[in-house]
Amino acid sequence: MIFSAALLRNHIRRATVQRCRQQSTHVAKPLIGSGALRTWYNVFGSSNAGYISWIVLGVLGCEVMSGTMSDSIWNSVNQGKTYE
């Protein structure tokens, strides 16, 4: 009984693997082209100072965007209730 269950399980596993291999014949394309990544690396990633400046500029840009969004939401919700 145990031996037949193991054979059945092994057969199902082999059939599943074969089916997956037949279905996975297409190749996924990258989201970002290699030219864009190479340019980014040459400008920002090739030196420590460039990479740190990339991070600092990204943090500052995100801070400005989130501050502007939160201020606009606050002003639209509290319109007429605050002194301006």
Side-chain angles (χ1 to χ4, degrees):
M1 185 72 171
I2 294 173
F3 184 69
S4 63
L7 284 176
L8 179 63
R9 187 172 51 243
N10 194 14
H11 176 70
I12 292 172
R13 192 176 293 152
R14 282 184 185 166
T16 304
V17 167
Q18 281 181 340
R19 196 173 313 126
C20 289
R21 285 182 182 162
Q22 289 172 354
Q23 291 174 356
S24 65
T25 57
H26 70 281
V27 177
K29 295 180 182 177
L31 296 176
I32 301 173
S34 63
L37 291 176
R38 188 174 297 117
T39 302
W40 180 90
Y41 180 78
N42 289 337
V43 173
F44 295 109
S46 60
S47 70
N48 196 24
Y51 187 68
I52 290 173
S53 65
W54 168 262
I55 292 173
V56 169
L57 291 174
V59 167
L60 290 175
C62 289
E63 179 65 29
V64 167
M65 286 189 327
S66 66
T68 303
M69 287 177 46
S70 64
D71 284 345
S72 66
I73 291 170
W74 179 268
N75 290 333
S76 68
V77 169
N78 295 314
Q79 187 175 8
K81 299 177 185 178
T82 57
Y83 176 75
E84 288 189 45

